[in-house]
C-alpha cells in the first residue's frame, strides 16, 4: 500500500470517528469500563497469587521417625527422600538436633533440656524426623501418601511370613491450609478469566455496533467504492482504523485510571499507620512492576477487540 | 472466445430466489446469447422489469448467473475469484441513473475518490482528474459540490469518474432518465465521442426514441429474453414499445 493511500485511509477512519463522536464516546466509555473491571480482576488475581506464593513457603511437612525403626532403613530414607518426586527440600533432624531445636525454642528456659542433650542419649524422648518442603503444594495430599509409603519396611516373623512396619509413626502436614490456598487461587483466577471473557464479548458487541452505524452512514460511499473497483481490504481499512483507535484510546484511559488507583493504594499501604497490613503489603506487586504489563495488556485487549468488533460488523456490507 | 469480444453471454439464465421461499422465484433473464465487440456502441432497450438492470448486474458481477456463462473483457465471470472482482470493475466504467456522487465532496474530489480508493499515487491523480473533467467539459466546476450543479452536470461528473481508469467498456444505466431532453443529447454525444476513441459503450434505456435517433445496434429485452438484436429503428421493436 502506498503512503498516500494509507494516509488517506487513516484520515477517513479518523474523520468518521469525529463525525460520529457521540457513539465513539459511548463506546470508549463502555470499553474503558470493561477494561477497568478486567484489569482490577487480573490485578487482584495476581496479587492473591503472590500472597499464596508467600504463604506456600511455609509448607513444611514433618515426618517423625519411630525410635524402633532400624538404622539401615533410616539411612536409606536419608538418601531416597531428597530425590523423591515433588520434594523441593529435605532435611534430616536427628534426635539430638531435635533437642537443640527445642532448646532454642525455649530460650532462657532451655536448660531444662540439658538432661536429654547429646548424641545417643537414652533419655531423649524426642523423635528424629525429616522436614520436607514440596515443589507443587497443590499435590500435597498425594505426595505425603507416597512419601509415607517409602517408610515401609518388612521384618520376617517366626512363621516365615513378614510383618510390615512403617518408619514414620506420625506426619505433620498443613494439608488443609494448602488446599484452601490452592482453591482460593483457582477461584480467583477463574473469576478473573471469566470476567475477561464476558467483558471481552460485551466490548466486541459494543464496538461492532458503533462500527455498524458508521458503515450504515457511509453505505453509499462503500457502494461507490465497490463499483469503482476498490478492494475489500481497502474498504475495510478505515473501519479498522476507527475500531482500533477507539480500542487504543480506551486502553490508555483505563491504564491511567487503574494504574493511578493502584499507585494510590500502594502509597496508602506504605503509610506508617497501615503497617499492621505489612504482611499483605510485602506480597503486593510493586506499581512499577505491574504498570508495563497492565498497559500492554490493555492495549492488546483494546486494539484486538476494536479489530474483532470491526470485522464482525462489516463483513456482510461487503457482499456486493 | 475471440479476442474482440468485450462482453459475451452464453445461454445465460438469472433466477432471483425469493427470501426463505416466501415469495416465488423470479426468472429475470433466460436464454440470453449475445456478444458485444470491442469498440461497439450498443443500446439495451426494454420495458420496466424486462431485465435490463439484471443484465448490467451480471456484467458487473454484482449478481452471478444462475446458468450459462458471462464473459467480460476476457474473464469468465462464473469462475472469477472474489478478490479479482475489484480488478474486473476497474475495467468497467459505470454511470448510474442516480449518478451516485458523494454529496460532501466537490466534483474534483468525487472523481479523485475513484482513484484514491484504488491505490493510485497522488501525483497521477493530480494529472488525471483535471484531464477527465475537461473531457466532459466541467473544468470550470471542479470545486463545486454536486448540489450546486445541474442534473446534466452531475451526470457528467459521474461520467468523468467512470473514465478515470481508462476502462475499455463504459456502461450507462438510463443516462437520460434524470435530465432534460436537450441535455440527454449532449451526454449521448459525449458517449459517442468516447466511443470514437475505441471504448465499448453499452447504454441501457427504456426510451425507444433515444435508441432510434442514434441508429446504433439495439438489443431488445422483453420478459427476460432477447427478442431482437439489430440496428434500430425496427418495426418489430416499435411494436413492443
Ligand atoms: N434482487 C432482486 N430480487 C428479486 N427479484 C428481483 C431483484 N432484482 C430484480 N428483480 C426482479 O427481476 C425482474 C427484472 O428486474 P430488472 O431490475 O432487471 O428490470 P429492469 O429492466 O431494469 O427494469 P427498470 O426499467 O424498471 O429498471 C423484475 O421482475 C424484478 O422485480
Ligand atoms: Mg433497471
Amino acid at each position: 500500500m502506498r503512503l498516500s493511500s494509507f494516509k488517506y485511509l487513516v484520515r477517513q477512519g479518523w474523520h468518521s470517528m469525529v463525525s460520529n463522536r457521540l457513539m465513539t464516546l459511548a463506546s470508549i466509555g463502555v470499553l474503558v469500563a470493561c477494561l477497568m473491571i478486567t484489569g482490577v480482576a487480573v490485578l487482584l488475581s495476581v496479587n492473591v497469587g503472590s500472597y499464596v506464593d508467600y504463604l506456600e513457603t511455609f509448607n513444611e511437612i514433618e515426618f517423625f521417625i519411630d525410635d524402633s525403626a532400624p538404622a539401615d532403613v533410616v539411612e536409606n530414607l536419608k538418601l531416597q527422600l531428597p530425590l523423591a518426586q515433588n520434594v523441593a527440600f529435605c532435611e534430616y533432624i536427628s534426635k539430638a538436633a531435635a533437642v537443640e531445636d527445642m532448646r532454642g525454642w525455649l530460650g532462657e528456659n532451655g536448660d531444662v533440656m540439658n538432661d536429654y542433650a547429646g548424641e545417643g542419649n537414652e533419655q531423649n524422648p524426642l523423635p528424629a524426623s525429616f522436614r520436607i518442603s514440596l515443589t507443587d503444594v497443590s499435590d500435597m495430599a498425594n505426595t505425603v501418601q507416597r512419601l509415607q509409603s517409602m517408610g515401609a519396611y518388612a521384618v520376617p516373623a517366626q512363621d516365615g511370613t513378614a510383618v510390615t512396619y512403617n518408619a514414620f509413626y506420625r506426619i505433620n502436614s498443613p494439608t488443609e491450609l494448602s488446599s484452601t490456598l490452592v482453591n482460593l487461587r483457582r477461584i480467583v483466577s477463574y473469576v478473573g478469566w471469566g470476567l475477561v471473557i464476558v467483558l471481552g464479548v460485551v466490548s466486541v458487541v459494543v464496538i461492532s455496533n458503533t462500527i455498524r452505524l458508521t458503515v450504515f452512514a457511509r453505505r453509499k460511499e462503500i457502494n461507490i467504492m465497490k463499483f469503482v473497483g476498490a478492494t475489500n481490504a481497502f474498504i475495510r481499512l478505515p473501519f479498522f482504523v476507527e475500531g482500533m483507535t477507539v480500542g487504543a484510546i480506551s486502553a490508555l484511559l483505563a491504564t491511567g485510571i487503574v494504574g493511578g488507583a493502584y499507585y494510590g493504594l500502594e502509597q496508602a499501604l506504605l503509610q506508617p499507620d497501615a503497617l499492621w497490613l505489612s504482611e499483605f503489603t510485602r506480597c503486593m506487586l510493586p506499581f512499577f512492576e505491574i504498570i508495563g504489563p497492565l498497559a500492554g495488556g490493555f492495549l492488546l485487549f483494546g486494539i484486538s477487540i476494536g479489530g474483532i468488533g470491526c470485522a464482525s460488523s462489516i463483513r456482510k456490507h461487503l457482499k456486493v | 472466445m475471440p479476442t474482440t469480444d468485450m462482453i459475451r453471454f452464453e445461454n445465460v439464465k438469472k433466477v432471483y430466489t425469493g427470501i426463505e421461499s416466501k415469495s416465488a422465484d423470479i426468472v429475470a433473464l433466460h436464454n440470453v446469447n449475445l456478444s458485444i465487440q470491442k469498440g461497439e456502441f450498443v443500446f439495451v432497450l426494454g420495458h420496466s422489469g424486462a431485465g435490463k438492470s439484471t443484465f448490467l448486474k451480471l456484467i458487473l458481477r454484482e449478481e452471478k448467473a444462475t446458468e450459462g456463462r458471462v464473459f467480460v473483457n476476457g474473464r469468465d465471470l462464473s469462475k472469477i475469484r472474489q478478490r479479482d472482482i475489484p480488478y474486473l470493475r476497474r475495467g468497467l466504467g459505470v454511470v448510474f441513473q442516480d449518478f451516485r456522487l458523494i454529496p460532501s465532496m466537490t466534483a474534483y474530489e468525487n472523481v479523485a475518490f475513484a482513484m484514491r480508493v484504488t491505490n493510485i499515487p497522488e501525483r497521477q491523480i493530480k494529472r488525471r482528474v483535471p484531464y477527465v473533467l475537461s473531457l466532459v467539459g466541467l473544468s470550470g466546476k471542479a470545486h463545486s459540490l454536486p448540489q450546486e450543479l445541474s442534473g446534466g452536470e452531475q451526470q457528467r461528473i459521474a461520467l468523468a469518474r467512470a473514465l478515470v481508469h481508462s476502462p475499455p467498456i463504459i456502461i450507462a444505466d438510463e443516462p437520460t432518465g434524470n435530465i432534460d431532453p436537450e441535455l440527454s443529447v449532449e451526454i449521448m454525444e459525449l458517449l459517442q465521442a468516447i466511443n470514437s476513441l475505441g471504448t465499448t459503450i453499452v447504454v441501457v434505456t427504456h426510451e425507444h426514441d433515444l435508441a432510434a435517433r442514434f441508429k446504433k445496434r439495439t438489443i431488445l429485452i422483453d420478459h427476460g429474453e432477447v427478442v431482437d438484436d439489430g440496428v434500430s429503428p425496427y418495426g418489430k421493436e416499435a411494436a413492443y414499445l
Side-chain angles (χ1 to χ4, degrees):
Chain A
M1 174 146 325
R2 289 172 203 292
L3 186 63
S4 65
S5 304
F6 186 74
K7 278 197 250 165
Y8 168 79
L9 289 170
V10 170
R11 223 175 20 242
Q12 284 300 308
W14 184 255
H15 180 78
S16 104
M17 260 179 56
V18 172
S19 56
N20 242 335
R21 52 188 161 296
L22 204 67
M23 267 319 287
T24 306
L25 282 180
S27 45
I28 288 179
V30 173
L31 196 53
V32 167
C34 287
L35 286 171
M36 275 168 54
I37 298 171
T38 312
V40 169
V42 169
L43 284 177
L44 201 65
S45 155
V46 294
N47 276 298
V48 166
S50 147
Y51 188 57
V52 169
D53 279 345
Y54 165 72
L55 291 181
E56 276 176 4
T57 58
F58 304 107
N59 75 37
E60 212 169 62
I61 309 167
E62 283 178 302
F63 287 79
F64 294 104
I65 302 165
D66 200 325
D67 282 348
S68 63
D72 63 316
V73 171
V74 176
E75 286 306 311
N76 222 359
L77 284 171
K78 278 190 204 170
L79 293 175
Q80 285 177 355
L81 282 177
L83 303 174
Q85 206 186 333
N86 201 21
V87 170
F89 180 75
C90 175
E91 187 188 9
Y92 174 72
I93 312 288
S94 67
K95 287 173 73 75
V99 169
E100 291 314 310
D101 260 17
M102 184 71 96
R103 196 205 290 281
W105 262 80
L106 294 172
E108 292 178 359
N109 305 320
D111 289 349
V112 299
M113 300 307 289
N114 282 350
D115 286 350
Y116 313 119
E119 205 63 54
N121 188 329
E122 294 289 329
Q123 308 274 294
N124 186 352
L126 296 179
S129 64
F130 285 102
R131 286 190 194 151
I132 292 179
S133 55
L134 304 185
T135 318
D136 175 14
V137 189
S138 66
D139 199 26
M140 183 179 281
N142 280 331
T143 309
V144 167
Q145 236 177 10
R146 197 158 39 75
L147 297 182
Q148 184 176 18
S149 69
M150 288 170 71
Y153 62 93
V155 174
Q158 266 100 355
D159 57 359
T161 59
V163 184
T164 307
Y165 295 94
N166 198 302
F168 305 127
Y169 77 95
R170 204 159 76 86
I171 296 167
N172 264 355
S173 74
T175 317
E176 222 146 87
L177 172 68
S178 84
S179 69
T180 309
L181 292 179
V182 167
N183 283 338
L184 178 64
R185 194 214 292 259
R186 188 177 304 148
I187 288 168
V188 169
S189 98
Y190 282 174
V191 169
W193 281 111
L195 278 174
V196 169
I197 291 168
V198 170
L199 296 176
V201 170
V202 169
S203 313
V204 165
V205 170
V206 169
I207 296 242
S208 90
N209 268 324
T210 309
I211 302 290
R212 201 164 292 162
L213 280 183
T214 316
V215 171
F216 186 76
R218 293 183 53 201
R219 66 196 179 285
K220 281 189 177 162
E221 232 168 285
I222 292 175
N223 180 273
I224 295 166
M225 286 165 101
K226 304 271 324 179
F227 283 108
V228 298
T231 57
N232 283 349
F234 200 96
I235 297 175
R236 253 183 243 131
L237 217 95
F239 299 104
F240 275 108
V241 169
E242 180 179 353
M244 290 182 185
T245 308
V246 166
I249 291 175
S250 310
L252 293 179
L253 287 174
T255 306
I257 298 169
V258 176
Y262 196 90
Y263 184 74
L265 182 68
E266 188 182 46
Q267 293 306 308
L269 288 176
L270 288 175
Q271 294 302 307
D273 52 355
L275 281 184
W276 56 276
L277 280 168
S278 63
E279 181 135 312
F280 295 104
T281 315
R282 178 179 16 209
C283 300
M284 186 172 171
L285 299 172
F287 171 78
F288 66 83
E289 237 175 62
I290 59 112
I291 191 68
L294 186 72
F298 277 172
L299 275 173
L300 196 72
F301 194 69
I303 291 176
S304 36
I305 282 199
I308 296 169
C310 229
S312 69
S313 65
I314 54 179
R315 277 225 335 267
K316 82 168 199 262
H317 286 271
L318 290 177
K319 286 233 160 67
V320 179
Chain B
M1 160 170 171
T3 50
T4 53
D5 275 355
M6 285 311 281
I7 295 172
R8 188 156 74 159
F9 278 57
E10 287 178 359
N11 290 315
V12 172
K13 182 173 186 178
K14 174 64 194 176
V15 180
Y16 288 110
T17 321
I19 300 161
E20 287 165 12
S21 64
K22 272 179 196 149
S23 45
D25 289 357
I26 293 165
V27 181
L29 283 179
H30 61 104
N31 200 20
V32 178
N33 284 288
L34 58 86
S35 70
I36 295 172
Q37 308 291 301
K38 181 171 164 31
E40 262 195 290
F41 191 120
V42 180
F43 284 105
V44 175
L45 187 63
H47 292 294
S48 178
K52 307 181 295 291
S53 294
T54 303
F55 178 76
L56 287 192
K57 285 176 182 168
L58 289 175
I59 295 172
L60 288 166
R61 189 49 174 72
E62 188 178 339
E63 294 286 351
K64 228 176 153 170
T66 316
E67 278 172 32
R69 298 206 288 176
V70 177
F71 295 90
V72 174
N73 204 2
R75 295 175 204 250
D76 182 346
L77 302 198
S78 61
K79 295 206 185 99
I80 194 168
R81 286 173 302 181
Q82 196 68 33
R83 60 191 167 92
D84 287 333
I85 294 176
Y87 302 96
L88 164 80
R89 290 180 180 160
R90 288 179 202 183
L92 293 165
V94 195
V95 182
F96 292 98
Q97 180 169 8
D98 57 359
F99 314 141
R100 301 199 190 171
L101 299 174
I102 299 167
S104 59
M105 292 185 185
T106 63
Y108 179 95
E109 287 300 326
N110 263 289
V111 177
F113 178 76
M115 300 183 81
R116 293 219 169 94
V117 300
T118 46
N119 215 9
I120 292 171
E122 198 59 36
R123 257 182 313 117
Q124 216 166 313
I125 296 176
K126 286 205 176 94
R127 254 182 298 142
R128 181 77 181 161
V129 178
Y131 173 69
V132 289
L133 283 175
S134 74
L135 282 185
V136 298
L138 275 182
S139 294
K141 306 273 184 166
H143 299 292
S144 305
L145 290 171
Q147 79 239 24
E148 298 162 352
L149 298 171
S150 72
E153 286 168 334
Q154 289 183 37
Q155 186 169 46
R156 282 184 282 157
I157 301 174
L159 180 57
R161 184 180 61 194
L163 290 170
V164 282
H165 293 129
S166 317
I169 305 172
I170 293 268
I171 293 170
D173 192 6
E174 304 280 4
T176 57
N178 271 347
I179 51 177
D180 292 343
E182 321 101 78
L183 287 175
S184 70
V185 174
E186 201 174 289
I187 194 84
M188 291 308 296
E189 277 166 358
L190 259 176
L191 286 172
Q192 270 189 296
I194 294 161
N195 174 243
S196 68
L197 300 173
T199 305
T200 307
I201 309 272
V202 177
V203 175
V204 172
T205 182
H206 64 273
E207 283 179 68
H208 166 237
D209 290 351
L210 191 74
R213 185 148 18 112
F214 286 87
K215 300 194 171 48
K216 299 285 187 188
R217 177 181 169 194
T218 302
I219 296 168
L220 183 63
I221 300 183
D222 190 41
H223 290 98
E225 237 177 327
V226 176
V227 293
D228 210 346
D229 186 349
V231 175
S232 190
Y234 260 71
K236 203 170 166 187
E237 168 201 306
Y240 272 102
L241 299 164

